[in-house]
Amino acid sequence: MNALKKLYDKSRLWFALAWIIAYCVLMSVGDSLSALVGIDKSVTLAIGIFLSAILLLFLKKNGLYADYGLCKPKTSAKSMLYYIPIFVMFTANLWYGVTLNYGAPETALYILAMLCVGFLEEVIFRGLLFEAMRKDNVKAAIIVSSVTFGIGHIINLINGSGAELLPNLLQVVYATAAGFMFVMMYYKSKSLIVCIIAHGVFNVLSVFANESNATAEMRILTAALLTAITGAYALYLALSMKGKTKA
């Protein structure tokens, strides 16, 4: 923990980048080891819990909860359009139909692992990375946070998860738009709570997605709609803040 504090004090940007690298590498290794064990997300969940615990302990020990959005939103639900676009986004994983892709134990592991993913990715990309850059250039911070989050999803092509090229590339596209949406939600509300919950729930619902019903055309249409919904919501939030918040 002392080593983390020294790195944090030396450079918050390098601290954020170190967490991004550690997260991507360790969670990818977790998926590969889970496949070897024969129980999806078994090792991934253990790694996710470990990383989440370390990050929470670090933030708590140094009184940084509020600094990184682990607090109540500072804006009203009305000013956020009652988060309606988020609820629409939730349904996307069920557009092809609903099925149970795993047995009960693996489904439970998957759900818990995805909740860890939602927490870690929001705190790392929207919290640590964005906050490390925003004082110098908030626009650059928004762009980098969004793009790195999207590009980070391309790791599914090489981590042994079995992701195909087209679905993964489409995921990168709408993940970038979703990253833009989440960072604007955080920037406006000063809270990551809704982002963490929304991200986690969206990921969790993917376990019930009936991907076998989806054609290439359907996947492209889904990615386009998700990109449009999340991108439009992010632009609305950005325009609603224009002239009200200093960069």
Side-chain angles (χ1 to χ4, degrees):
M1 199 64 72
N2 289 334
L4 288 177
K5 186 63 167 64
K6 288 181 180 179
L7 178 58
Y8 180 82
D9 290 339
K10 183 177 181 180
S11 172
R12 295 187 181 186
L13 180 57
W14 279 109
F15 181 81
L17 293 175
W19 268 100
I20 290 173
I21 294 170
Y23 168 78
C24 290
V25 171
L26 291 177
M27 294 297 273
S28 180
V29 169
D31 280 342
S32 297
L33 291 177
S34 296
L36 288 175
V37 171
I39 304 175
D40 282 349
K41 302 301 180 183
S42 54
V43 180
T44 310
L45 174 59
I47 292 174
I49 291 174
F50 173 75
L51 291 176
S52 297
I54 293 296
L55 189 51
L56 277 172
L57 285 172
F58 175 81
L59 295 177
K60 182 178 181 180
K61 182 178 180 180
N62 294 284
L64 297 172
Y65 272 11
D67 290 1
Y68 292 103
L70 298 182
C71 56
K72 293 181 179 180
K74 306 299 183 183
T75 54
S76 67
K78 181 179 180 180
S79 70
M80 306 293 287
L81 295 182
Y82 299 101
Y83 303 105
I84 291 174
I86 296 294
F87 291 104
V88 175
M89 184 186 76
F90 282 166
T91 67
N93 280 316
L94 309 179
W95 289 352
Y96 309 138
V98 180
T99 188
L100 191 61
N101 291 299
Y102 305 99
E106 287 185 322
T107 297
L109 288 172
Y110 191 101
I111 289 173
L112 293 173
M114 290 301 99
L115 291 175
C116 285
V117 167
F119 168 77
L120 286 166
E121 291 188 352
E122 289 308 309
V123 175
I124 292 172
F125 287 96
R126 249 65 65 189
L128 301 181
L129 181 59
F130 176 72
E131 289 296 342
M133 297 184 64
R134 67 176 291 188
K135 291 182 180 180
D136 295 325
N137 190 324
V138 70
K139 291 181 180 179
I142 290 171
I143 293 171
V144 171
S145 175
S146 306
V147 173
T148 53
F149 177 66
I151 292 176
H153 285 73
I154 206 166
I155 199 170
N156 290 329
L157 282 174
I158 58 176
N159 67 359
S161 65
E164 297 177 0
L165 180 61
L166 178 61
N168 189 242
L169 292 180
L170 292 175
Q171 186 184 39
V172 169
V173 172
Y174 66 72
T176 301
F180 180 32
M181 175 189 70
F182 283 132
V183 77
M184 291 312 305
M185 288 172 62
Y186 171 55
Y187 188 38
K188 181 170 182 175
S189 70
K190 306 297 187 293
S191 172
L192 277 177
I193 300 301
V194 176
C195 297
I196 291 170
I197 294 172
H199 193 156
V201 171
F202 179 78
N203 286 351
V204 164
L205 289 176
S206 66
V207 75
F208 304 107
N210 193 351
E211 296 287 344
S212 62
N213 287 340
T215 63
E217 291 76 13
M218 291 169 66
R219 292 177 189 276
I220 292 172
L221 179 58
T222 298
L225 289 173
L226 282 173
T227 301
I229 292 169
T230 54
Y233 186 41
L235 286 174
Y236 164 79
L237 295 175
L239 291 173
S240 71
M241 295 176 65
K242 194 172 183 180
K244 297 180 180 180
T245 306
K246 293 182 180 180

